[in-house]
Amino acid sequence: MPNTSKKTLISGVKPTGRPHIGNYFGAMKQFVDLQDSGKYDCRIFIADYHGLNLIQDAEEMRRLTLDLALDYIAIGLDPKKTSIFKQSDVPAHTELCWIFDTIVTMPYLMRAHAFKDAEAKDKEINVGTFNYPVLMAADILLYDADVVPVGQDQKQHIEYARDIALKFDNIFRSETFKLPTDLIMESVAVVPGTDGRKMSKSYGNTIPLFATREEITKAVMSIVTDSSGDVPVNVYNIHRLFRPESELRPLYEANKGKYANLKKALVEDIDAFIKPMRERRAELADDPKKVMRILKKGAKAANKAAAKKLEAVKKAIGVI
Ligand code: ADP
Ligand code: TRP
């Protein structure tokens, strides 16, 4: 798989539950687009050890991990093009994290946004959450990643990875690490939810990505429409994601004020879009062993690359 003319791309996703179409258009789809661009050697992993800070129930962890793998394969991550693996299957991540822990200071980690946010909420923060950026630096630096596609909120974590790489090489007078750059995924737009606000799990205004036709119908029928205009703006703004505006304009023109017709058309379009992914996901879900094999294969490739880098690190620090 490694191809020297290509850049190395890595990203991790925490297993957090059922995605919605806002997550898809705003974030998930971009991994598939980057993979299909052919410009990168891609590694995408399930950040289960990062997730462990929140998910502390074995059954839930297993279910969410499998779900996430199914989601990504169903939307088009192709195990032949992208190595997909679980972070916990590659022990070098946590081993390198410990090594970094010995050179990263507490005040430096206290300046991290995520830590400050958690502290502002007055929570008792566990050590794993405090140390989150160090494990993430290890995730990235182990693979000599050139680019790390992430959302804006993760930008600081990539800067931390760079800082940690420089600090390590400075202390141990080595040239062990490559400096990664972030690839900020600017979502095309903020996908609106059924109430016109940003689609978000926390607002309960979502259309699930792998929704059944019934679920799609229910969500679309609940879209809040404003009776003052001809065009139901909230319906239109979601519809735009599924059909070019050049086709939508005549449709909305011909159905002025006929909201029920427009909602029906939207149900058809969303269902036509989701159906193949939903079917692929269901097929895969029937064969979880196949998914596990994909993850194991990804882990094998990741372990190989990670072991090589860890050996260089161990030499640099003098434990071998
Ligand atoms: P939620 O708000 O539903 O909890 P998350 O915060 O888990 O969603 O978001 C995961 C990813 O999906 C992030 O990269 C985020 O930028 C993207 N995302 C979430 N909601 C939207 C949306 N409505 N429009 C565009 N992108 C979104
Ligand atoms: N922190 C990332 C998030 O919350 C997930 C993540 C963990 C990650 N390790 C990573 C992303 C390494 C990119 C590279 O979304």
Side-chain angles (χ1 to χ4, degrees):
M1 195 182 287
N3 175 334
T4 45
S5 67
K6 287 188 182 179
K7 293 200 162 185
T8 298
L9 175 156
I10 189 149
S11 198
V13 187
K14 276 183 297 185
T16 51
R18 200 174 184 198
H20 52 72
I21 61 170
N23 300 138
Y24 175 74
F25 287 105
M28 299 169 74
K29 179 176 177 290
Q30 308 191 50
F31 287 156
V32 180
D33 293 344
L34 288 164
Q35 162 197 275
D36 292 341
S37 76
K39 289 189 196 149
Y40 304 100
D41 276 322
C42 299
R43 297 183 196 272
I44 303 287
F45 66 93
I46 299 175
D48 49 0
Y49 277 162
H50 278 107
L52 187 59
N53 284 307
L54 297 164
I55 307 152
Q56 301 187 336
D57 176 282
E59 269 319 302
E60 199 187 359
M61 179 64 93
R62 278 187 203 106
R63 183 176 56 78
L64 290 172
T65 302
L66 177 65
D67 277 348
L68 183 62
L70 291 171
D71 293 345
Y72 271 97
I73 300 168
I75 65 165
L77 267 200
D78 177 352
K80 291 202 187 79
K81 299 185 193 158
T82 296
S83 83
I84 310 167
F85 64 96
K86 272 194 303 182
Q87 186 182 33
S88 60
D89 276 339
V90 187
H93 289 236
T94 42
E95 200 171 342
L96 183 58
C97 176
W98 174 259
I99 295 169
F100 287 158
D101 276 343
T102 66
I103 62 166
V104 173
T105 68
M106 304 240 312
Y108 177 76
L109 287 184
M110 282 171 171
R111 287 199 291 276
H113 299 316
F115 171 73
K116 285 202 243 172
D117 290 351
E119 212 186 21
K121 286 186 191 139
D122 211 20
K123 280 199 212 141
E124 244 189 60
I125 299 155
N126 61 29
V127 177
T129 300
F130 183 60
N131 211 24
Y132 190 105
V134 185
L135 179 58
M136 186 158 159
D139 297 338
I140 297 168
L141 297 174
L142 263 180
Y143 299 99
D144 284 336
D146 297 287
V147 290
V148 189
V150 283
Q152 180 68 37
D153 62 329
Q154 297 295 314
K155 191 177 168 67
Q156 191 192 41
H157 287 149
I158 316 299
E159 283 162 17
Y160 270 40
R162 294 168 64 91
D163 285 350
I164 293 171
L166 286 167
K167 188 166 189 186
F168 180 97
D169 277 341
N170 190 29
I171 291 175
F172 296 103
R173 291 184 295 277
S174 73
E175 286 179 15
T176 306
F177 294 114
K178 191 168 201 174
L179 297 183
T181 25
D182 56 59
L183 190 67
I184 300 291
M185 307 199 292
E186 300 289 357
S187 55
V188 196
V190 173
V191 175
T194 53
D195 58 0
R197 292 186 293 170
K198 173 186 182 244
M199 186 175 288
S200 171
K201 279 192 286 284
S202 44
Y203 294 152
N205 62 356
T206 65
I207 303 176
L209 176 58
F210 298 100
T212 60
R213 189 175 173 100
E214 291 68 43
E215 288 174 311
I216 297 169
T217 308
K218 191 164 164 243
V220 169
M221 291 310 156
S222 79
I223 297 176
V224 179
T225 47
D226 176 350
S227 54
S228 66
D230 289 333
V231 173
V233 181
N234 292 339
V235 180
Y236 187 88
N237 283 341
I238 296 177
H239 215 155
R240 270 196 315 180
L241 300 164
F242 298 93
R243 190 177 281 277
E245 296 205 51
S246 56
E247 291 175 25
L248 280 187
R249 265 183 243 110
L251 178 73
Y252 278 67
E253 188 60 34
N255 285 282
K256 265 190 188 166
K258 295 180 188 154
Y259 294 177
N261 287 357
L262 293 169
K263 283 188 170 181
K264 251 185 237 155
L266 177 57
V267 169
E268 289 304 328
D269 284 346
I270 298 181
D271 194 41
F273 183 84
I274 288 183
K275 196 169 174 233
M277 295 201 279
R278 189 174 63 213
E279 288 175 353
R280 209 175 314 142
R281 194 181 188 287
E283 216 173 278
L284 278 163
D286 274 345
D287 192 357
K289 288 213 178 94
K290 183 172 173 190
V291 178
M292 292 307 160
R293 277 199 301 275
I294 290 172
L295 294 180
K296 290 292 168 215
K297 198 167 159 234
K300 204 172 162 199
N303 268 309
K304 204 169 153 204
K308 206 167 147 215
K309 181 55 79 180
L310 196 62
E311 191 184 330
V313 171
K314 286 182 168 178
K315 276 193 185 136
I317 62 175
V319 296
I320 54 173

